[in-house]
Amino acid sequence: LSICGKICYAIGGAPNQVAGSAAAFFLQIYLLDIAHITPFHASLVLFIGKASGAVTDPVAGFFISKSRWTKIGRLMPWMLACTPFTVVSYFFMWYVPPFVSGRVAWYLTFYCLFQALTTLFQVPYSALTMFLSTDQKERDSATAYRMTMEVLGTLIGAALQGQIVASAHVSHHCTVNSSVNTNNSWHDTPGFPDPSDPLSHQVYMIAAGVIGGVYLLGVVILFLGVKEKDDPYALNSDRAIPFCKGLGLTMKHGPYVKLTASFLLISTAVQLEQSNFVLFCTHAADLRNHFQYLVVTILVSAAVSIPFWQKFLQRFGKKCAACGISWMIPFAVMLVTIPNLILAYFVAFTSGLSIAASLLLPWSMLPDVVDNFRLQNPHGKGHETIFYSSYVFFTKMSAGIGLGISAAGLEFTGYKAGICRQSSDVILTLKILIGAVPAILILAGLFILLFYPITEESRKETKLALEELR
């Protein structure tokens, strides 16, 4: 693979991350403080939206596996066709409709559409890794390029969104020294503009328009710079594995089950950190004027550390590199217990290192699982999209459940939108969602990963066996 081809492939995945990052960091606080829907309804929007995207994964995998080869490939037409609709649904997801009674249905509809359409892009895009090259090192290298660019996309999305919409979450009432405002009435002082004020949500629409333009640009570069190759191992006599049968086989494949179980817990922990970090900085750590810079610090750290993790896993192995995911745990606990500004930036930096490892490793290990399955089922083809679609299904579903529970927890503890100071129960809940829950999920995921059977030695044996098969 040429460096140019790897870069074009990597850029193609960045727009999904740009849009997904903006939604992950800002959608919950947007729904609560700008759209002014209740935390319970926000939890419904987040959970049902994620669930709809998750349900779309196996459906997308089914139809993609049935697709015929075209002049531009089997996967590329899906990515091109869904992009315009994705941009439109994303834009309306950040629009405040003039009516109030149907506002929850509005956000639910467009968030579900956005999640479903991004799935129709993500499944063929992630499976495209298997059709770039047969060489494991080349695929690992392409994955590293991809994850570097996706983290940069996450950075661009969060930075663009954070800088553009920061004015909608800053109030002079809330920046007054709390020692001067000791009466209880200050807790109920509105901290943000009234939702009827167009300036409070126009900034979100501007950000959505900018990110939509990035989306279109990235997909054009992907189409022009990447050539999809057909399955190099398939013989003319091989038959495509029926989707339902293939799904059953993947669910019985030991390495895949262990990898998926491990990283669905880890990805849920990362999603909880992302969705609650801005709320935590705003309401629990008195860092409301720094949250956009902290988010940028996290993502810059993640972006620059991807090459380091790629070298690390090449030198010491992929399972060993998983230890880096646990680095965020002690520092996140420290931030919860000692909400200091300098410590917050240090926590942001170390969290970025851990997030980079958690993003790179599953997509680097999944091709090894697919190769292992190919070796055990040598006369079938078309199973790649089944693996990728079902993996994304499980991670999205677990993240949706986690986000729904966290938003419902804020509702239960009495979160009030737009006030300067939340109750002690809400602050405690945010601390638990940022510190304790992600720590438990990450440790559980790493424990399961200990039993993942594919080692560096077995990877080399699989590579030799597949070369012989070819």
Side-chain angles (χ1 to χ4, degrees):
L1 292 175
S2 67
I3 294 178
C4 180
K6 293 176 185 178
I7 292 174
C8 290
Y9 170 65
I11 290 174
N16 246 4
Q17 302 306 314
V18 172
S21 168
F25 279 108
F26 293 95
L27 184 59
Q28 181 164 272
I29 196 170
Y30 168 82
L31 294 174
L32 294 173
D33 289 346
I34 303 300
H36 279 219
I37 67 175
T38 66
F40 173 73
H41 288 134
S43 70
L44 286 180
V45 171
L46 293 172
F47 170 70
I48 296 175
K50 283 286 186 182
S52 69
V55 170
T56 310
D57 284 304
V59 177
F62 173 78
F63 285 107
I64 293 169
S65 67
K66 298 291 184 182
S67 301
R68 294 183 178 181
W69 184 265
T70 68
K71 291 182 179 180
I72 59 173
R74 185 162 55 93
L75 304 175
M76 191 68 73
W78 287 89
M79 294 181 271
L80 295 177
C82 69
T83 297
F85 302 100
T86 306
V87 173
V88 172
S89 64
Y90 180 79
F91 180 81
F92 282 110
M93 194 173 78
W94 301 100
Y95 174 72
V96 178
F99 47 84
V100 177
S101 58
R103 194 167 287 178
V104 176
W106 174 278
Y107 291 114
L108 184 60
T109 299
F110 284 104
Y111 188 51
C112 287
L113 276 174
F114 173 71
Q115 288 292 333
L117 289 166
T118 53
T119 293
L120 290 176
F121 181 93
Q122 188 66 26
V123 169
Y125 174 75
S126 55
L128 186 60
T129 309
M130 301 301 299
F131 299 97
L132 296 176
S133 172
T134 60
D135 187 79
Q136 290 179 352
K137 288 185 177 180
E138 287 291 325
R139 290 201 306 252
D140 286 347
S141 176
T143 300
Y145 273 82
R146 169 194 163 192
M147 297 318 301
T148 302
M149 197 60 68
E150 287 193 356
V151 173
L152 285 173
T154 305
L155 169 62
I156 292 169
L160 277 176
Q161 191 89 356
Q163 295 300 320
I164 294 173
V165 310
S167 61
H169 297 286
V170 174
S171 170
H172 296 294
H173 295 291
C174 295
T175 55
V176 179
N177 192 324
S178 60
S179 62
V180 179
N181 299 277
T182 55
N183 54 49
N184 292 329
S185 62
W186 188 61
H187 290 261
D188 297 325
T189 302
F192 307 109
D194 187 88
S196 61
D197 179 9
L199 293 177
S200 66
H201 55 82
Q202 280 181 357
V203 288
Y204 273 95
M205 294 175 62
I206 293 171
V210 173
I211 290 174
V214 173
Y215 219 112
L216 294 173
L217 178 63
V219 173
V220 169
I221 293 174
L222 173 69
F223 172 68
L224 296 177
V226 175
K227 183 178 180 181
E228 180 183 345
K229 300 176 182 178
D230 205 356
D231 188 346
Y233 297 117
L235 304 174
N236 292 331
S237 59
D238 290 348
R239 294 184 177 181
I241 299 176
F243 183 82
C244 293
K245 179 183 177 182
L247 191 61
L249 290 173
T250 60
M251 294 301 103
K252 296 176 183 178
H253 193 60
Y256 178 72
V257 172
K258 293 180 176 66
L259 179 70
T260 303
S262 171
F263 278 98
L264 70 84
L265 293 173
I266 293 170
S267 65
T268 302
V270 173
Q271 284 277 343
L272 285 173
E273 290 274 357
Q274 282 185 318
S275 64
N276 291 290
F277 187 77
V278 176
L279 283 171
F280 174 81
C281 291
T282 303
H283 298 297
D286 292 328
L287 298 172
R288 66 175 69 247
N289 294 324
H290 295 271
F291 71 81
Q292 66 266 38
Y293 306 112
L294 290 168
V295 168
V296 169
T297 302
I298 292 173
L299 298 174
V300 168
S301 171
V304 299
S305 61
I306 290 282
F308 162 76
W309 287 118
Q310 175 66 12
K311 294 292 184 182
F312 188 95
L313 64 86
Q314 288 178 348
R315 178 78 179 272
F316 300 103
K318 297 179 181 180
K319 286 181 68 174
C320 185
C323 66
I325 300 172
S326 63
W327 290 359
M328 73 166 69
I329 295 176
F331 299 106
V333 173
M334 288 173 63
L335 178 62
V336 167
T337 54
I338 315 170
N340 177 272
L341 179 59
I342 296 176
L343 178 62
Y345 278 98
F346 189 69
V347 170
F349 176 78
T350 53
S351 295
L353 297 177
S354 297
I355 289 172
S358 71
L359 291 173
L360 176 64
L361 283 172
W363 296 112
S364 180
M365 297 166 84
L366 196 54
D368 301 335
V369 174
V370 177
D371 281 346
N372 183 270
F373 181 86
R374 156 68 78 178
L375 199 60
Q376 296 181 18
N377 299 271
H379 297 294
K381 62 180 181 178
H383 55 278
E384 294 86 0
T385 54
I386 300 174
F387 272 97
Y388 281 88
S389 62
S390 53
Y391 175 79
V392 178
F393 166 79
F394 287 117
T395 52
K396 279 188 179 179
M397 184 61 75
S398 64
I401 293 172
L403 293 176
I405 291 174
S406 70
L410 294 175
E411 166 82 10
F412 179 76
T413 52
Y415 181 91
K416 294 181 180 179
I419 66 173
C420 292
R421 185 69 60 85
Q422 299 290 339
S423 67
S424 58
D425 289 339
V426 172
I427 293 174
L428 177 61
T429 301
L430 288 170
K431 289 182 177 181
I432 292 172
L433 292 173
I434 285 291
V437 176
I440 294 170
L441 292 174
I442 289 172
L443 291 175
L446 292 176
F447 177 76
I448 294 173
L449 197 62
L450 290 175
F451 302 97
Y452 175 71
I454 298 179
T455 62
E456 295 305 303
E457 292 300 321
S458 64
R459 282 182 67 207
K460 293 177 182 177
E461 293 171 0
T462 300
K463 179 182 177 181
L464 291 173
L466 285 176
E467 288 297 324
E468 183 67 24
L469 176 66
R470 189 171 68 163

